[in-house]
Amino acid sequence: AHRGQQQVEQARGTQIIATSWDVPDWIVSDPSKSTQRFVPYENYPELVEMVAAWLVRARDEYGVEPDYVSFNEPDVGAYVSLAPFEAAMLIEQAGKRFDELGIKTKWLIADTANIDGSAAYARSLLKDQNIHPYLGVFANHSWDSDSPDSDYLEVRAFARENALEVWCTETGSNAFSWQTPEKFPTYAYAVELARVYGRVLKLTGANAILYWEMMGSDYWINDGADPYPSFNMIRQLGEQIPPGSIIVETSNNTDTFFSVAAQAPGHFVLYMVNTGDAPLSVAVEGLPAGDYTHIQTTESELEAVAGSYDVPQDEVLLQIPAMSVHVLTTRIP
């Protein structure tokens, strides 16, 4: 059923990533370790063959051709450790084998555990000109969600310099949230996700964001009958900042107030998050002309209309409650 769903998604135009987390004990030099596992160079051909064989079977038996492949978080070894020069050697061998087999799948660039250091990892990888034909988009994970803005902006600068798309392939605030599943249904977790999503969109220039921990067998799963607040946050973001949107610069974030704006194909939106325990007064200037609706989410009130404005005639001065998420949009509900 899972593979059948992949076929349906690919037919819809959905891009698919196949990520390898672990490998058999016999192929690593340190089988007793569960993380930071090292594959000896002489075993690279066998490692390549494993990946290639999986892709051939997916293509020939199930009609599924992933757009990208990677080893998960190679910088921290979760669970296979690959330094950039090792990743380059592996990708060069894999690229040649993929060509022989007619595999069109490209490799994610970096796919590191954190934003911090991802540009350095990718920059080192790109020094090997031989692997450029086999590379796809620049990817990283946001588990260092409290890293300074400068780390995020370095990702955007590197991507622009090299004409690369940026994908945040695991987005969230804590990679170990699965160990505390009781947080998933909470409103505080939803606000934290809103903060992280806003930062990634605003600062890294991300073209795609993939939520992590949407489902799994080792923590609570929502059956969809009563969606968690985090689901509604992500749904609202998807509606307000759909594919084709262009992120617009806004004032710098503060310790508690975060904003990101976008010109969507059919509307303009300003997305704001107050993570603090005190209300804020926010003056909004420079909005494109239009009729705006202010939609407010608090713990007790989901996506309530808090006001409307005719810009530029109306002054937009918003009262932002503590721990709240806000959308100022010209999108017609």
Side-chain angles (χ1 to χ4, degrees), residues 42-73:
E42 59 268 23
N43 288 346
Y44 276 20
E46 187 61 39
L47 186 60
V48 166
E49 200 61 31
M50 289 179 181
V51 177
W54 190 94
L55 291 171
V56 166
R57 186 176 184 188
R59 180 192 66 192
D60 295 350
E61 293 193 28
Y62 301 102
V64 175
E65 292 186 82
D67 296 88
Y68 304 110
V69 69
S70 74
F71 274 90
N72 180 65
E73 300 182 352

Side-chain angles (χ1 to χ4, degrees), residues 172-196:
S173 59
N174 187 338
F176 299 100
S177 290
W178 61 272
Q179 295 178 347
T180 54
E182 61 273 11
K183 71 187 294 183
F184 290 150
T186 67
Y187 175 73
Y189 179 67
V191 173
E192 176 62 10
L193 279 183
R195 179 188 77 90
V196 173

Side-chain angles (χ1 to χ4, degrees), residues 179-245:
Q179 295 178 347
T180 54
E182 61 273 11
K183 71 187 294 183
F184 290 150
T186 67
Y187 175 73
Y189 179 67
V191 173
E192 176 62 10
L193 279 183
R195 179 188 77 90
V196 173
Y197 268 65
R199 289 194 76 209
V200 170
L201 282 169
K202 177 176 181 172
L203 301 175
T204 71
N207 301 88
I209 292 180
L210 286 67
Y211 174 60
W212 189 245
E213 294 167 328
M214 183 70 78
M215 59 183 182
S217 59
D218 50 1
Y219 45 82
W220 301 336
I221 304 301
N222 189 299
D223 63 6
D226 185 19
Y228 295 159
S230 56
F231 171 84
N232 288 310
M233 292 291 186
I234 295 173
R235 175 193 49 74
Q236 185 183 58
L237 266 171
E239 292 172 352
Q240 295 293 340
I241 308 180
S245 299

Side-chain angles (χ1 to χ4, degrees), residues 20 33 47 70 73 84 96 105-106 130 132 135 139 148 152-153 178 186 259 290 292 295 318 321 323 325:
S20 175
K33 297 176 66 174
L47 186 60
S70 74
E73 300 182 352
K96 292 176 179 177
T105 303
K106 303 290 186 180
N130 294 327
H132 285 203
L135 299 177
Y152 283 62
L153 292 170
W178 61 272
T186 67
S259 66
Y292 286 82
I295 303 171
L318 307 178
M323 285 291 287
V325 177

Side-chain angles (χ1 to χ4, degrees), residues 114-137:
N114 298 306
I115 300 287
D116 181 22
S118 62
Y121 190 103
R123 185 176 293 110
S124 182
L125 190 66
L126 288 181
K127 289 179 181 178
D128 189 337
Q129 297 289 327
N130 294 327
I131 67 172
H132 285 203
Y134 310 126
L135 299 177
V137 299

